[in-house]
Amino acid sequence: MQEPARVRQLDEKICRLICPISAAMVGVCLTGVGLLRVAVAVEHKSTLADDLLSLDAVIFLVATLVSYFALRTQVRNHRLEQVADVAFITAMVLLTIACPLITYSFPL
């Protein structure tokens, strides 16, 4: 069964967005890890959030690389686009989970 051209174009646009956004989110996660490390050094209190953000950075990197390779292939590879999409959404969910951990790890 042939996919409509509109659906194919939408998929390619999404893949084109995942690549730069995921790359930027790697930087966000690394910044968060750095700030948490400073807080841990000052407070002498360990937290799960920095470990979660480190894992998150790796998943964002996977999303970046997979979406990049999906864009670079001569023939559109829908499987790579799906993997990039799942990795991006997974990483965003983990980042959202890390937020309350960061917020409530260091009381005022």
Side-chain angles (χ1 to χ4, degrees):
M1 188 183 313
Q2 186 70 14
E3 291 182 323
R6 183 174 167 228
V7 172
R8 283 182 288 186
Q9 185 180 20
L10 181 63
D11 288 345
E12 188 174 347
K13 285 181 181 179
I14 290 171
C15 197
R16 288 184 190 273
L17 288 173
I18 287 174
C19 191
I21 292 171
S22 293
M25 294 308 290
V26 170
V28 168
C29 290
L30 293 176
T31 301
V33 169
L35 291 172
L36 281 172
R37 282 287 152 201
V38 170
V40 165
V42 169
E43 294 282 330
H44 302 291
K45 182 179 177 184
S46 183
T47 177
L48 178 67
D50 55 345
D51 297 333
L52 191 58
L53 286 176
S54 297
L55 174 64
D56 206 21
V58 171
I59 297 172
F60 274 123
L61 179 62
V62 168
T64 302
L65 293 174
V66 172
S67 64
Y68 174 78
F69 289 124
L71 292 170
R72 299 295 295 169
T73 56
Q74 294 294 330
V75 179
R76 292 222 24 233
N77 190 332
H78 294 286
R79 184 71 181 143
L80 284 178
E81 291 173 354
Q82 289 175 342
V83 170
D85 196 32
V86 168
F88 181 75
I89 296 299
T90 302
M92 288 301 290
V93 168
L94 282 177
L95 186 59
T96 304
I97 291 170
C99 288
L101 289 175
I102 295 167
T103 300
Y104 297 112
S105 291
F106 300 102
L108 297 175

